[in-house]
Amino acid sequence: MRGILKGKWLIVIAWILAAVLLFFSSPDMAGLLREKGQPSVPDDYTSVRAGKLLDQMNEQKGFGDTTDIALVFHNPDGLTDRDMKEAERAINKLEKEKEQLGIKEMLSPFEHEELENELISEDGKTILVSLVVDRMDRSAEKLSEDLYGAVSDTNLEHYYTGQELIDEDVIRTSEEGLKRTELITVAFILIVLIAVFRSVVAPVIPLVTVGISYIVSQSIVAFLVEYVNFPLSNFTQIFLVAVLFGIGTDYMILLFSRFKEELSIRENVPDAITETYRHAGKTVLYSGIAVLIGFSVIGLSEFNLYQSAAAVAVGIVVLLAALFTIVPFFMAVLGKNIFWPAKKSLEHRPSRLWTFAGRMSFASPLLSLIIVAAVTVPFIISYDGGLSYNSLEEIGDDYKSVKGFEIIEDSFGPGEA
């Protein structure tokens, strides 16, 4: 620790340079998510084999790199003659622009009357049109934009849906969720740290330290995904934010609490820092290693969605390095000012609340168990353990691809899409 304190300025400058360099040079995580971040199962599963057979069949038809898309026309009050003409007009327009849009095959009830009963719902509210579309090196976002643009003047509720479009909306949802998660996490951490230390300085240090750790670890993960096919999913960044900021704040509270106590009994700041890491530092290191092992083991699972959680292991390595290099820098430079403007003595004092709770638990263990049961049992009983295999519930019905899918489900029945 003495060596780290001597070179503290060089170490912090190195961290800042590394964070900036990695941030601007690392591959775009959003692009990697679209390319490699979709959940998948191993090749020996029957669904994967079936998918490969369908791809081969499309290649034999000369379709090349295509995707299946459903176009849905819908009127919740029932389709009128005017609606039918409007839908037919839109389909004719798609037919005329087939080549530009990359449409290889289209099945509609207007061109194939024998399919009318299959493509117009029994409730008379929905028309389903099946499209096979060549991607033409377009992103899902661009593909959707082109298709919607072709029927933009259609005065009838309509949606495009399909796996490609749904996957794109899942990624958009995860990106929006990540932003909310970051804001909420930072806000809660600030509240907790201000409540714990009664300081406006102490809360900033964990945010800076963990923030640098997050930028560096996310960039490293992006490089690993790009060059060594490291597992990635739309949950990876949220895992990193939640775990790094969670345990990072936890460890910082432990370190700062010990540092505060050491300052009251040591003659100088370097001695207080050294003693802090000699004792609390060991706890942080061993705890971090345990979490590191846990997330590393998750990487051994078969499902790539779970494997992607192994990125947290990378983040924990970076976080531990930051806790043992960046935090001592702030301790050395700021000293007692870390806890400004708190005016209370830095000496540790027992908490009345926890002293009372400890004594009561020791004196009346049965009563303590009853209190714990009263809080936890209602939740245990009310939890039904229900599972859902509908992945669309993750993103809600605010997106057009989901709306289209749900309309098909309601009008034609589950599975028809």
Side-chain angles (χ1 to χ4, degrees), residues 59-85:
E59 287 178 7
Q60 291 172 359
K61 289 182 178 180
F63 287 173
D65 184 22
T66 59
T67 183
D68 296 317
I69 292 178
L71 170 58
V72 181
F73 296 98
H74 180 67
N75 185 339
D77 298 322
L79 294 165
T80 63
D81 291 339
R82 182 179 177 181
D83 291 335
M84 298 295 284
K85 290 178 181 178

mmCIF file of all heavy atoms in Angstrom, residues 59-85:
data_model
loop_
_atom_site.group_PDB
_atom_site.id
_atom_site.type_symbol
_atom_site.label_atom_id
_atom_site.label_comp_id
_atom_site.label_asym_id
_atom_site.label_seq_id
_atom_site.Cartn_x
_atom_site.Cartn_y
_atom_site.Cartn_z
ATOM 1 N N GLU A 59 -32.512 -21.046 -49.314
ATOM 2 C CA GLU A 59 -31.390 -20.924 -50.249
ATOM 3 C C GLU A 59 -31.699 -21.650 -51.556
ATOM 4 O O GLU A 59 -31.363 -21.178 -52.643
ATOM 5 C CB GLU A 59 -30.123 -21.487 -49.613
ATOM 6 C CG GLU A 59 -29.547 -20.591 -48.516
ATOM 7 C CD GLU A 59 -28.315 -21.196 -47.877
ATOM 8 O OE1 GLU A 59 -27.842 -22.242 -48.382
ATOM 9 O OE2 GLU A 59 -27.824 -20.624 -46.886
ATOM 10 N N GLN A 60 -32.346 -22.824 -51.437
ATOM 11 C CA GLN A 60 -32.709 -23.571 -52.642
ATOM 12 C C GLN A 60 -33.732 -22.818 -53.479
ATOM 13 O O GLN A 60 -33.762 -22.928 -54.703
ATOM 14 C CB GLN A 60 -33.257 -24.954 -52.242
ATOM 15 C CG GLN A 60 -32.191 -25.873 -51.652
ATOM 16 C CD GLN A 60 -32.789 -27.154 -51.089
ATOM 17 O OE1 GLN A 60 -34.010 -27.357 -51.128
ATOM 18 N NE2 GLN A 60 -31.945 -28.021 -50.551
ATOM 19 N N LYS A 61 -34.577 -22.015 -52.811
ATOM 20 C CA LYS A 61 -35.550 -21.201 -53.535
ATOM 21 C C LYS A 61 -34.904 -19.957 -54.138
ATOM 22 O O LYS A 61 -35.551 -19.220 -54.886
ATOM 23 C CB LYS A 61 -36.674 -20.752 -52.594
ATOM 24 C CG LYS A 61 -37.622 -21.858 -52.155
ATOM 25 C CD LYS A 61 -38.702 -21.263 -51.272
ATOM 26 C CE LYS A 61 -39.720 -22.298 -50.838
ATOM 27 N NZ LYS A 61 -40.764 -21.700 -49.979
ATOM 28 N N GLY A 62 -33.643 -19.727 -53.794
ATOM 29 C CA GLY A 62 -32.961 -18.539 -54.287
ATOM 30 C C GLY A 62 -33.265 -17.297 -53.477
ATOM 31 O O GLY A 62 -33.071 -16.178 -53.936
ATOM 32 N N PHE A 63 -33.746 -17.495 -52.246
ATOM 33 C CA PHE A 63 -34.106 -16.365 -51.406
ATOM 34 C C PHE A 63 -32.897 -15.726 -50.734
ATOM 35 O O PHE A 63 -32.912 -14.572 -50.370
ATOM 36 C CB PHE A 63 -35.118 -16.793 -50.329
ATOM 37 C CG PHE A 63 -36.500 -17.037 -50.884
ATOM 38 C CD1 PHE A 63 -37.490 -17.560 -50.077
ATOM 39 C CD2 PHE A 63 -36.811 -16.740 -52.203
ATOM 40 C CE1 PHE A 63 -38.770 -17.781 -50.561
ATOM 41 C CE2 PHE A 63 -38.085 -16.949 -52.700
ATOM 42 C CZ PHE A 63 -39.065 -17.479 -51.879
ATOM 43 N N GLY A 64 -31.837 -16.509 -50.520
ATOM 44 C CA GLY A 64 -30.637 -15.961 -49.901
ATOM 45 C C GLY A 64 -30.857 -15.607 -48.441
ATOM 46 O O GLY A 64 -31.510 -16.340 -47.691
ATOM 47 N N ASP A 65 -30.354 -14.442 -48.024
ATOM 48 C CA ASP A 65 -30.436 -14.003 -46.625
ATOM 49 C C ASP A 65 -31.772 -13.312 -46.399
ATOM 50 O O ASP A 65 -31.904 -12.098 -46.532
ATOM 51 C CB ASP A 65 -29.278 -13.053 -46.324
ATOM 52 C CG ASP A 65 -29.252 -12.633 -44.858
ATOM 53 O OD1 ASP A 65 -29.829 -13.362 -44.028
ATOM 54 O OD2 ASP A 65 -28.661 -11.581 -44.552
ATOM 55 N N THR A 66 -32.783 -14.099 -46.048
ATOM 56 C CA THR A 66 -34.145 -13.562 -45.916
ATOM 57 C C THR A 66 -34.659 -13.684 -44.493
ATOM 58 O O THR A 66 -34.090 -14.395 -43.662
ATOM 59 C CB THR A 66 -35.112 -14.291 -46.859
ATOM 60 O OG1 THR A 66 -35.100 -15.697 -46.534
ATOM 61 C CG2 THR A 66 -34.716 -14.091 -48.309
ATOM 62 N N THR A 67 -35.740 -12.987 -44.240
ATOM 63 C CA THR A 67 -36.420 -13.071 -42.949
ATOM 64 C C THR A 67 -37.926 -13.079 -43.180
ATOM 65 O O THR A 67 -38.420 -12.479 -44.147
ATOM 66 C CB THR A 67 -36.022 -11.882 -42.048
ATOM 67 O OG1 THR A 67 -36.660 -12.024 -40.769
ATOM 68 C CG2 THR A 67 -36.445 -10.550 -42.659
ATOM 69 N N ASP A 68 -38.649 -13.772 -42.315
ATOM 70 C CA ASP A 68 -40.115 -13.851 -42.419
ATOM 71 C C ASP A 68 -40.745 -12.710 -41.632
ATOM 72 O O ASP A 68 -40.424 -12.492 -40.459
ATOM 73 C CB ASP A 68 -40.622 -15.182 -41.860
ATOM 74 C CG ASP A 68 -40.119 -16.352 -42.686
ATOM 75 O OD1 ASP A 68 -40.139 -16.239 -43.920
ATOM 76 O OD2 ASP A 68 -39.699 -17.361 -42.091
ATOM 77 N N ILE A 69 -41.643 -12.007 -42.275
ATOM 78 C CA ILE A 69 -42.317 -10.870 -41.646
ATOM 79 C C ILE A 69 -43.814 -10.956 -41.923
ATOM 80 O O ILE A 69 -44.224 -11.328 -43.020
ATOM 81 C CB ILE A 69 -41.757 -9.530 -42.183
ATOM 82 C CG1 ILE A 69 -40.314 -9.344 -41.703
ATOM 83 C CG2 ILE A 69 -42.614 -8.347 -41.728
ATOM 84 C CD1 ILE A 69 -39.655 -8.099 -42.216
ATOM 85 N N ALA A 70 -44.590 -10.625 -40.905
ATOM 86 C CA ALA A 70 -46.047 -10.604 -41.062
ATOM 87 C C ALA A 70 -46.525 -9.156 -41.066
ATOM 88 O O ALA A 70 -46.106 -8.346 -40.248
ATOM 89 C CB ALA A 70 -46.712 -11.371 -39.926
ATOM 90 N N LEU A 71 -47.399 -8.840 -42.015
ATOM 91 C CA LEU A 71 -48.045 -7.527 -42.069
ATOM 92 C C LEU A 71 -49.486 -7.709 -41.607
ATOM 93 O O LEU A 71 -50.208 -8.564 -42.120
ATOM 94 C CB LEU A 71 -48.003 -6.971 -43.499
ATOM 95 C CG LEU A 71 -48.847 -5.726 -43.783
ATOM 96 C CD1 LEU A 71 -48.466 -4.567 -42.873
ATOM 97 C CD2 LEU A 71 -48.718 -5.325 -45.251
ATOM 98 N N VAL A 72 -49.891 -6.920 -40.623
ATOM 99 C CA VAL A 72 -51.210 -7.058 -40.022
ATOM 100 C C VAL A 72 -52.022 -5.789 -40.261
ATOM 101 O O VAL A 72 -51.568 -4.690 -39.964
ATOM 102 C CB VAL A 72 -51.087 -7.303 -38.497
ATOM 103 C CG1 VAL A 72 -52.472 -7.460 -37.883
ATOM 104 C CG2 VAL A 72 -50.242 -8.513 -38.213
ATOM 105 N N PHE A 73 -53.219 -5.958 -40.814
ATOM 106 C CA PHE A 73 -54.186 -4.857 -40.914
ATOM 107 C C PHE A 73 -55.285 -5.142 -39.897
ATOM 108 O O PHE A 73 -55.783 -6.273 -39.818
ATOM 109 C CB PHE A 73 -54.778 -4.778 -42.320
ATOM 110 C CG PHE A 73 -53.779 -4.445 -43.389
ATOM 111 C CD1 PHE A 73 -53.207 -5.449 -44.157
ATOM 112 C CD2 PHE A 73 -53.391 -3.133 -43.621
ATOM 113 C CE1 PHE A 73 -52.282 -5.150 -45.139
ATOM 114 C CE2 PHE A 73 -52.465 -2.824 -44.604
ATOM 115 C CZ PHE A 73 -51.906 -3.833 -45.363
ATOM 116 N N HIS A 74 -55.693 -4.120 -39.167
ATOM 117 C CA HIS A 74 -56.603 -4.388 -38.052
ATOM 118 C C HIS A 74 -57.574 -3.229 -37.825
ATOM 119 O O HIS A 74 -57.194 -2.058 -37.906
ATOM 120 C CB HIS A 74 -55.784 -4.619 -36.773
ATOM 121 C CG HIS A 74 -56.602 -4.914 -35.562
ATOM 122 N ND1 HIS A 74 -57.345 -6.068 -35.412
ATOM 123 C CD2 HIS A 74 -56.783 -4.205 -34.406
ATOM 124 C CE1 HIS A 74 -57.932 -6.064 -34.243
ATOM 125 N NE2 HIS A 74 -57.622 -4.935 -33.619
ATOM 126 N N ASN A 75 -58.818 -3.598 -37.552
ATOM 127 C CA ASN A 75 -59.825 -2.647 -37.109
ATOM 128 C C ASN A 75 -60.555 -3.291 -35.932
ATOM 129 O O ASN A 75 -61.264 -4.288 -36.101
ATOM 130 C CB ASN A 75 -60.824 -2.325 -38.225
ATOM 131 C CG ASN A 75 -61.817 -1.235 -37.832
ATOM 132 O OD1 ASN A 75 -62.033 -0.977 -36.645
ATOM 133 N ND2 ASN A 75 -62.426 -0.587 -38.812
ATOM 134 N N PRO A 76 -60.387 -2.783 -34.726
ATOM 135 C CA PRO A 76 -60.996 -3.406 -33.546
ATOM 136 C C PRO A 76 -62.518 -3.461 -33.588
ATOM 137 O O PRO A 76 -63.124 -4.278 -32.893
ATOM 138 C CB PRO A 76 -60.503 -2.525 -32.380
ATOM 139 C CG PRO A 76 -60.122 -1.219 -33.008
ATOM 140 C CD PRO A 76 -59.623 -1.559 -34.377
ATOM 141 N N ASP A 77 -63.125 -2.631 -34.433
ATOM 142 C CA ASP A 77 -64.585 -2.630 -34.552
ATOM 143 C C ASP A 77 -65.079 -3.500 -35.707
ATOM 144 O O ASP A 77 -66.281 -3.549 -35.984
ATOM 145 C CB ASP A 77 -65.087 -1.197 -34.758
ATOM 146 C CG ASP A 77 -64.748 -0.295 -33.594
ATOM 147 O OD1 ASP A 77 -64.823 -0.771 -32.440
ATOM 148 O OD2 ASP A 77 -64.384 0.875 -33.823
ATOM 149 N N GLY A 78 -64.163 -4.171 -36.360
ATOM 150 C CA GLY A 78 -64.537 -5.000 -37.503
ATOM 151 C C GLY A 78 -64.172 -4.325 -38.817
ATOM 152 O O GLY A 78 -64.390 -3.115 -38.976
ATOM 153 N N LEU A 79 -63.625 -5.076 -39.751
ATOM 154 C CA LEU A 79 -63.190 -4.527 -41.032
ATOM 155 C C LEU A 79 -64.385 -4.181 -41.905
ATOM 156 O O LEU A 79 -65.295 -5.000 -42.099
ATOM 157 C CB LEU A 79 -62.297 -5.538 -41.750
ATOM 158 C CG LEU A 79 -60.948 -5.846 -41.073
ATOM 159 C CD1 LEU A 79 -60.331 -7.104 -41.662
ATOM 160 C CD2 LEU A 79 -59.996 -4.664 -41.226
ATOM 161 N N THR A 80 -64.399 -2.992 -42.451
ATOM 162 C CA THR A 80 -65.460 -2.559 -43.362
ATOM 163 C C THR A 80 -64.998 -2.764 -44.806
ATOM 164 O O THR A 80 -63.840 -3.100 -45.057
ATOM 165 C CB THR A 80 -65.776 -1.069 -43.138
ATOM 166 O OG1 THR A 80 -64.604 -0.288 -43.466
ATOM 167 C CG2 THR A 80 -66.162 -0.816 -41.691
ATOM 168 N N ASP A 81 -65.910 -2.552 -45.766
ATOM 169 C CA ASP A 81 -65.537 -2.653 -47.182
ATOM 170 C C ASP A 81 -64.438 -1.647 -47.518
ATOM 171 O O ASP A 81 -63.525 -1.939 -48.293
ATOM 172 C CB ASP A 81 -66.765 -2.406 -48.068
ATOM 173 C CG ASP A 81 -67.776 -3.533 -47.971
ATOM 174 O OD1 ASP A 81 -67.371 -4.638 -47.558
ATOM 175 O OD2 ASP A 81 -68.962 -3.297 -48.292
ATOM 176 N N ARG A 82 -64.533 -0.483 -46.925
ATOM 177 C CA ARG A 82 -63.518 0.542 -47.156
ATOM 178 C C ARG A 82 -62.160 0.079 -46.616
ATOM 179 O O ARG A 82 -61.122 0.295 -47.246
ATOM 180 C CB ARG A 82 -63.946 1.838 -46.479
ATOM 181 C CG ARG A 82 -62.975 2.988 -46.704
ATOM 182 C CD ARG A 82 -63.466 4.260 -46.025
ATOM 183 N NE ARG A 82 -62.514 5.340 -46.187
ATOM 184 C CZ ARG A 82 -62.672 6.553 -45.673
ATOM 185 N NH1 ARG A 82 -63.761 6.833 -44.966
ATOM 186 N NH2 ARG A 82 -61.758 7.493 -45.857
ATOM 187 N N ASP A 83 -62.165 -0.578 -45.451
ATOM 188 C CA ASP A 83 -60.926 -1.106 -44.875
ATOM 189 C C ASP A 83 -60.311 -2.156 -45.791
ATOM 190 O O ASP A 83 -59.086 -2.184 -45.993
ATOM 191 C CB ASP A 83 -61.192 -1.720 -43.498
ATOM 192 C CG ASP A 83 -61.556 -0.682 -42.447
ATOM 193 O OD1 ASP A 83 -61.161 0.487 -42.625
ATOM 194 O OD2 ASP A 83 -62.230 -1.044 -41.464
ATOM 195 N N MET A 84 -61.158 -3.029 -46.348
ATOM 196 C CA MET A 84 -60.660 -4.081 -47.233
ATOM 197 C C MET A 84 -60.003 -3.479 -48.471
ATOM 198 O O MET A 84 -58.933 -3.927 -48.915
ATOM 199 C CB MET A 84 -61.810 -5.004 -47.633
ATOM 200 C CG MET A 84 -62.465 -5.745 -46.464
ATOM 201 S SD MET A 84 -61.362 -6.906 -45.636
ATOM 202 C CE MET A 84 -61.346 -8.242 -46.837
ATOM 203 N N LYS A 85 -60.623 -2.437 -49.013
ATOM 204 C CA LYS A 85 -60.056 -1.776 -50.196
ATOM 205 C C LYS A 85 -58.745 -1.073 -49.848
ATOM 206 O O LYS A 85 -57.795 -1.082 -50.640
ATOM 207 C CB LYS A 85 -61.061 -0.775 -50.763
ATOM 208 C CG LYS A 85 -62.279 -1.418 -51.416
ATOM 209 C CD LYS A 85 -63.260 -0.367 -51.914
ATOM 210 C CE LYS A 85 -64.493 -1.014 -52.548
ATOM 211 N NZ LYS A 85 -65.481 -0.003 -53.007
#
